Amino acid sequence: MLVSENEVYKYAIDTKDGEKGILKELYFDDEHWAIRYLVIDTHKWLPGRKVLISPISIEHTNHETESFSVSLTSQEVSESPDIDTNQPISRKHEMDVNRHFSWPYYWVGTGAWGNGMYPRPFMADDLPDANSSLRSSNEDEENHLRSTKEVAGYHIQATDGEIGHVKDFIFDEETWQLRYFIVDTKNWFSGKEVLLSTKWIHDINWQDRTVIVDVTKEDIDQAPEYRLNEPITRQFEEDLHTHYGKTGYWKF
């Protein structure tokens, strides 16, 4: 099922023993375009603290009650490493967080999630020993993590000029892959909202806050309109990809 970040923003995070946090933002990597962490505000429970939760720990999503149930205790969450979301998250910090929760390293393997395409519970072979050479060799590696809060508002640069800006994000709640950016074109042409696949991104200029895509302004302007209250069906996705002359991700 495809959902937008705005749909799940401020969903409650329910621990195994009943403590609750609130979803504040998402962190994704700009290589696999997968959501790696949910940033959780622990609210009244642990005032002033924010923690990272991996999709690996999510057991159930309930859109009716607007909540995620996680396989973590309140003690595990409260004892997790501190995180400053105003600073870049280093690979070393990621490794500390993943080891604390016994999550496998998603960056070890050939798939989007280690050796697979789906976030999955801990398996002993996925997590290297704390003193292994893999740990030391990866600590300084660039991790490509970006916040959705950071990218919201970035300008869209088509092959023939600027059109629109990033308004929101669409992700697959099974694989936690970012499938689309929602682009608001209200200051250009028709002024509607459309979808652009993350696979059509040629580059991102972080300094200029620009997403560069390999489609034209006319393609974007004439694309099927995205409407917030209507579900994204496979037929809509097929029509979208046909319009842009692109092959759907589901065919790979």
Side-chain angles (χ1 to χ4, degrees):
M1 179 178 175
L2 296 178
V3 296
S4 73
E5 182 189 22
N6 278 339
E7 286 182 71
V8 298
Y9 180 64
K10 292 190 176 180
Y11 267 30
I13 309 297
D14 297 335
T15 62
K16 292 178 70 174
D17 46 353
E19 294 290 358
K20 294 181 182 292
I22 301 294
L23 174 64
K24 300 300 289 184
E25 61 184 297
L26 303 171
Y27 273 91
F28 66 94
D29 78 71
D30 59 6
E31 289 189 313
H32 287 286
W33 294 100
I35 294 170
R36 300 305 184 187
Y37 303 104
L38 295 77
V39 178
I40 307 304
D41 187 338
T42 50
H43 205 44
K44 298 178 181 178
W45 164 35
L46 299 171
R49 278 206 64 193
K50 291 182 180 179
V51 297
L52 298 181
I53 299 295
S54 169
I56 292 169
S57 66
I58 295 177
E59 293 186 322
H60 180 64
T61 303
N62 190 322
H63 293 294
E64 291 186 3
T65 61
E66 299 186 344
S67 64
F68 294 104
S69 299
V70 298
S71 60
L72 305 172
T73 66
S74 57
Q75 181 176 355
E76 286 177 306
V77 174
S78 64
E79 293 178 352
S80 66
D82 287 331
I83 178 67
D84 182 358
T85 55
N86 293 319
Q87 299 295 326
I89 298 175
S90 68
R91 178 51 53 84
K92 181 180 184 302
H93 188 93
E94 279 197 278
M95 296 178 82
D96 291 341
V97 170
N98 278 258
R99 292 203 67 84
H100 171 76
F101 288 113
S102 294
W103 294 328
Y105 296 160
Y106 66 80
W107 58 88
V108 178
T110 58
W113 291 94
N115 289 318
M117 295 304 296
Y118 297 86
R120 57 194 174 91
F122 168 75
M123 293 183 66
D125 292 341
D126 292 333
L127 195 59
D129 180 79
N131 298 316
S132 71
S133 59
L134 180 60
R135 178 180 174 85
S136 60
S137 66
N138 275 317
E139 283 185 348
D140 297 326
E141 183 180 308
E142 185 179 359
N143 60 7
H144 297 275
L145 285 183
R146 301 290 177 178
S147 166
T148 50
K149 182 182 292 186
E150 173 192 357
V151 180
Y154 273 30
H155 301 291
I156 300 297
Q157 181 73 34
T159 57
D160 53 349
E162 187 177 307
I163 175 171
H165 65 270
V166 177
K167 181 177 181 180
D168 197 2
F169 308 84
I170 301 290
F171 67 93
D172 184 323
E173 63 179 349
E174 289 189 61
T175 64
W176 286 81
Q177 299 239 206
L178 275 180
R179 296 297 185 195
Y180 303 102
F181 286 168
I182 299 176
V183 177
D184 187 346
T185 66
K186 66 182 178 183
N187 294 326
W188 290 264
F189 301 116
S190 60
K192 63 186 177 183
E193 293 180 3
V194 298
L195 300 185
L196 282 174
S197 170
T198 54
K199 290 185 176 296
W200 308 336
I201 295 174
H202 175 70
D203 195 10
I204 297 183
N205 188 321
W206 304 106
Q207 185 173 358
D208 292 342
R209 296 175 53 85
T210 301
V211 178
I212 303 165
V213 295
D214 62 353
V215 296
T216 67
K217 290 194 296 183
E218 183 177 2
D219 283 339
I220 295 172
D221 180 52
Q222 298 299 320
E225 182 174 5
Y226 166 75
R227 294 182 175 87
L228 177 62
N229 296 321
E230 295 181 7
I232 300 174
T233 63
R234 179 50 53 80
Q235 183 61 58
F236 180 89
E237 289 189 278
E238 290 177 350
D239 292 343
L240 182 72
H241 283 72
T242 297
H243 167 77
Y244 284 109
K246 306 289 188 179
T247 301
Y249 62 86
W250 57 89
K251 295 183 178 180
F252 291 96

